Amino acid sequence: MKTLLFGIWALLALILCPGVPEELFEVSIWPSQALVEFGQSLVVNCSTTCPDPGPSGIETFLKKTQVDKGPQWKEFLLEDVTENSILQCFFSCAGIQKDTSLGITVYQPPEQVILELQPAWVAVDEAFTVKCHVPSVAPLESLTLALLQGNQELHRKNFTSLAVASQRAEVIISVRAQKENDRCNFSCHAELDLSLQEFSQSPHIWVSSLLEAGMAETVSCEVARVFPAKEVMFHMFLEDQELSSFLSWEGDTAWANATIWTMEAGDQELSCFASLGPMEQKTRKLVHSYNNPRLEESSCPGKQTWLEGMEHTLACVPKGNPAPALVCTWNGVVFDLEVPQKATQKHTGTYCYTATNQLGSVSKDIAVIVQGLDEGISSTLFVIITVALGVGVITIALYLSYWPCKVDRRKLLYRQKEEDKEEESQFAFRKRKVQLI
């Protein structure tokens, strides 16, 4: 009975404690705000930081289709968006559900402007009405209507301060007729300014959360649904260092690409600033730099020699970030790396080293040779004798090379003395011959 209860308790612990505290997981949606042209579609991405999420999805009255998914995200296509709405994105983790929302704003540019003058004929000093109307336009709070007489502006109206229910896209004014108004042209100008709505979204940084130190990585910062996209300026930084970026745009999307190198392991902040005229949006993302698990020859030699009877430990220091754990096996048994071993012939063999961290593992075989004490001394004597013989051979070679030169030098001196004696005798003979004459 106790065993059964313990098994049930362990199962409950596994279900309720997945390894990540429930208050730490987050739910996010991209884009953070959406501006969609009337009748068009929108792609949204719903994601979470929960390592093993449960049920998830989006809630909306719009027509939706799931088009892609991953372990921690889902992507949906919303079609025929015709009115403003609020979309909910939700994920559950360890039985706890969290959600976030996305505000969708529909816009419709003015396609038709209707201008009316009533009456068409009017007496001098009498009033007539000028009316301007735009049948279909959204959002109305972004609309401005201007009435002009020739090049002179008579009246300008915006709709930001009116109640939603009472808003109509029209402006009406009364004008008193003057003689100079005869045959005068009246016009109406409608302007839908989406600049505030179009740049209300924060930039999105596309880069892997894990970067290998010393390796180049491409990072991209993107702003979607912005107008005019070609005038968006970007500045990207890795910590305090500004990155050199290349700007691009297409349609209503602008982005900048840059290349980054992280020379040291650890957490670093990547930030992106996007500006359009006086408006600026910014976003930040934390990236983690790491070094792969490595067993280099300099710190973990593949061949090691032990002297029998002496205490030794295998020399192997793994490199990597996060710091890897090291396990050694020998003949299928885990070998204790921290306890010095008194070397015997049975220690001769191949040892398998495995370094492991959260990013993976790497293995290496190390050959250990145990030499007997006599072998060690013999090896030392052999080296000494070899060196001594080498020195002797070199000395003899040098001596033999020098000896012929020494003999030739002696012969040359002897020949020179003989020639000097002969010259002296000839000189003496000539001297006696002259005296006789």
Side-chain angles (χ1 to χ4, degrees):
M1 184 63 182
K2 291 182 178 179
T3 304
L4 177 61
L5 290 175
F6 177 81
I8 296 173
W9 178 87
L11 178 62
L12 290 174
L14 179 63
I15 294 174
L16 297 178
C17 304
V20 175
E22 60 189 33
E23 66 272 8
L24 294 182
F25 91 94
E26 298 293 339
V27 175
S28 59
I29 192 168
W30 189 88
S32 57
Q33 291 183 333
L35 188 64
V36 186
E37 188 172 357
F38 181 87
Q40 297 300 308
S41 59
L42 172 68
V43 175
V44 297
N45 186 291
C46 190
S47 61
T48 182
T49 58
C50 179
D52 186 21
S56 61
I58 60 173
E59 293 180 354
T60 178
F61 62 81
L62 299 171
K63 180 183 178 182
K64 64 180 180 180
T65 304
Q66 183 175 311
V67 293
D68 203 357
K69 67 176 181 178
Q72 296 172 285
W73 59 273
K74 290 183 178 180
E75 193 169 83
F76 298 88
L77 175 66
L78 308 179
E79 299 179 86
D80 193 26
V81 181
T82 58
E83 57 182 296
N84 297 345
S85 63
I86 302 294
L87 179 148
Q88 297 290 331
C89 162
F90 66 91
F91 269 92
S92 61
C93 185
I96 303 298
Q97 180 172 307
K98 285 188 177 182
D99 59 70
T100 187
S101 61
L102 166 65
I104 301 176
T105 302
V106 175
Y107 74 94
Q108 186 173 7
E111 297 180 355
Q112 183 182 18
V113 178
I114 301 174
L115 181 64
E116 299 177 1
L117 298 178
Q118 295 178 349
W121 293 85
V122 62
V124 176
D125 290 334
E126 288 188 1
F128 64 97
T129 301
V130 181
K131 177 181 178 182
C132 179
H133 172 62
V134 180
S136 300
V137 63
L140 200 54
E141 58 268 26
S142 297
L143 178 68
T144 300
L145 293 179
L147 287 173
L148 296 92
Q149 180 181 346
N151 294 326
Q152 179 185 2
E153 184 176 296
L154 299 178
H155 186 73
R156 174 177 290 267
K157 179 181 179 181
N158 58 56
F159 300 84
T160 56
S161 60
L162 299 180
V164 175
S166 63
Q167 289 189 35
R168 293 187 61 188
E170 67 178 19
V171 58
I172 302 174
I173 64 170
S174 179
V175 180
R176 187 166 297 277
Q178 304 294 330
K179 289 183 179 181
E180 55 269 22
N181 297 144
D182 186 39
R183 307 294 178 180
C184 184
N185 291 325
F186 288 83
S187 60
C188 179
H189 177 72
E191 178 181 297
L192 188 67
D193 183 7
L194 298 176
S195 59
L196 293 178
Q197 285 81 6
E198 286 281 276
F199 201 61
S200 59
Q201 300 184 31
S202 298
H204 188 80
I205 296 177
W206 300 97
V207 68
S208 173
S209 298
L210 289 174
L211 304 179
E212 185 174 356
M215 300 296 291
E217 184 80 15
T218 300
V219 58
S220 179
C221 181
E222 180 182 290
V223 176
R225 303 188 181 278
V226 61
F227 178 84
K230 64 181 179 180
E231 295 184 11
V232 177
M233 301 300 295
F234 290 90
H235 294 279
M236 288 190 285
F237 296 85
L238 182 62
E239 294 293 339
D240 296 330
Q241 179 183 1
E242 184 168 7
L243 305 176
S244 177
S245 57
F246 179 76
L247 277 59
S248 304
W249 63 276
E250 182 177 356
D252 61 355
T253 301
W255 66 92
N257 294 330
T259 302
I260 59 175
W261 287 269
T262 55
M263 302 311 297
E264 297 181 356
D267 292 333
Q268 298 185 62
E269 185 181 78
L270 185 64
S271 56
C272 175
F273 296 81
S275 60
L276 179 63
M279 298 174 291
E280 182 180 82
Q281 296 282 356
K282 60 184 177 181
T283 189
R284 293 178 173 85
K285 185 172 184 178
L286 196 65
V287 295
H288 180 75
S289 300
Y290 68 92
N291 291 321
N292 281 328
R294 302 189 306 277
L295 295 173
E296 299 177 349
E297 185 66 19
S298 59
S299 59
C300 189
K303 185 176 181 180
Q304 301 182 25
T305 302
W306 289 6
L307 192 60
E308 188 174 14
M310 305 297 291
E311 287 191 343
H312 294 273
T313 55
L314 282 169
C316 188
V317 180
K319 295 182 179 180
N321 182 38
L326 191 62
V327 175
C328 176
T329 58
W330 176 52
N331 295 331
V333 179
V334 176
F335 189 79
D336 195 340
L337 296 172
E338 297 182 357
V339 178
Q341 304 289 323
K342 189 173 183 180
T344 63
Q345 289 298 324
K346 71 176 184 178
H347 287 108
T348 297
T350 301
Y351 296 74
C352 180
Y353 270 71
T354 302
T356 305
N357 65 9
Q358 294 91 322
L359 304 173
S361 61
V362 64
S363 298
K364 182 176 183 177
D365 288 339
I366 296 178
V368 173
I369 300 174
V370 178
Q371 291 184 343
L373 188 59
D374 293 340
E375 287 185 73
I377 296 174
S378 299
S379 299
T380 305
L381 290 176
F382 176 76
V383 172
I384 294 173
I385 293 171
T386 302
V387 172
L389 287 175
V391 172
V393 170
I394 294 173
T395 303
I396 293 172
L398 292 174
Y399 178 77
L400 292 176
S401 301
Y402 172 74
W403 176 253
C405 298
K406 186 175 181 181
V407 171
D408 291 342
R409 191 180 304 112
R410 289 178 180 176
K411 288 181 179 180
L412 181 62
L413 292 174
Y414 178 77
R415 189 181 301 114
Q416 185 67 40
K417 289 181 181 179
E418 291 297 323
E419 290 176 356
D420 290 344
K421 286 182 181 180
E422 185 177 352
E423 288 180 1
E424 288 177 1
S425 62
Q426 289 180 1
F427 178 75
F429 174 76
R430 290 172 185 168
K431 185 175 179 182
R432 287 195 300 269
K433 188 175 180 181
V434 171
Q435 289 177 353
L436 291 173
I437 294 173

